[in-house]
Amino acid sequence: MYQDEVVLCGSSAYTRKFYLNSDFEHLPAQVKDELKILCVLYTEDVGGTLQLVFDAEGSLTFRTECEENDFMYDEIGSVLKVKQLQQTKKDLLEALEMFYKVFFLGAELEEDQGCY
C-alpha cells in the first residue's frame, strides 16, 4: 500500500515553513503541535531542512539536509540535536512508530505492547 518510505513531517530554514503529510491529519492536535515545535526549533537552531521519515519497516528516522553553499548550517550541531531529540522525545517517536505500523502497515498490536 505504501512505498518504501513515507514522510511524516518536515521543516525548512530556507522557506521557513512546516509540512505535515496529509495522511497524518487525523493525529491528535497535541501530537501535531509537538511535531511542529520539534521540527521548527531544529531548523531554527541548526539550519537546513529536517524530515521525519518512516521506512518500509515502520521505523521513524530523521533526515537532515542543507543547500550546497549554506555556510550557516551547523553540521556538528545537527548530529547532536538529532541525538538529543531522539532521547527527549523517545516516547512520542515510539508511539508514532507503533501508530504507523498498526494503522498504515497493518501490523498486529501485541498484548504486551498494550495501550495505556
Side-chain angles (χ1 to χ4, degrees):
M1 180 174 163
Y2 283 89
Q3 56 271 42
D4 289 337
E5 45 179 54
V6 174
V7 175
L8 168 63
C9 61
S11 180
S12 171
Y14 308 117
T15 61
R16 303 186 67 81
K17 291 188 179 182
F18 171 77
Y19 165 78
L20 177 67
N21 185 331
S22 60
D23 289 344
F24 299 95
E25 272 301 314
H26 297 293
L27 286 172
Q30 181 180 359
V31 172
K32 292 190 287 189
D33 289 345
E34 270 195 77
L35 289 170
K36 184 174 185 177
I37 291 167
L38 180 153
C39 290
V40 170
L41 286 179
Y42 170 90
T43 54
E44 285 295 314
D45 288 348
V46 177
T49 62
L50 171 68
Q51 291 181 329
L52 274 63
V53 181
F54 290 106
D55 65 16
E57 289 80 35
S59 296
L60 190 58
T61 58
F62 287 67
R63 180 181 297 150
T64 63
E65 296 178 355
C66 69
E67 292 180 355
E68 188 174 328
N69 293 323
D70 184 355
F71 299 112
M72 299 301 290
Y73 179 74
D74 184 359
E75 197 167 334
I76 295 170
S78 172
V79 173
L80 296 173
K81 188 73 171 176
V82 166
K83 286 182 181 183
Q84 176 194 20
L85 290 170
Q86 288 172 328
Q87 290 176 348
T88 60
K89 299 295 183 181
K90 183 179 179 183
D91 292 340
L92 172 66
L93 300 174
E94 287 176 353
L96 287 166
E97 285 180 344
M98 184 182 301
F99 171 83
Y100 184 78
K101 289 175 184 176
V102 171
F103 290 101
F104 287 79
L105 299 179
E108 293 292 322
L109 186 62
E110 296 176 14
E111 283 189 40
D112 62 333
Q113 289 177 324
C115 297
Y116 296 92

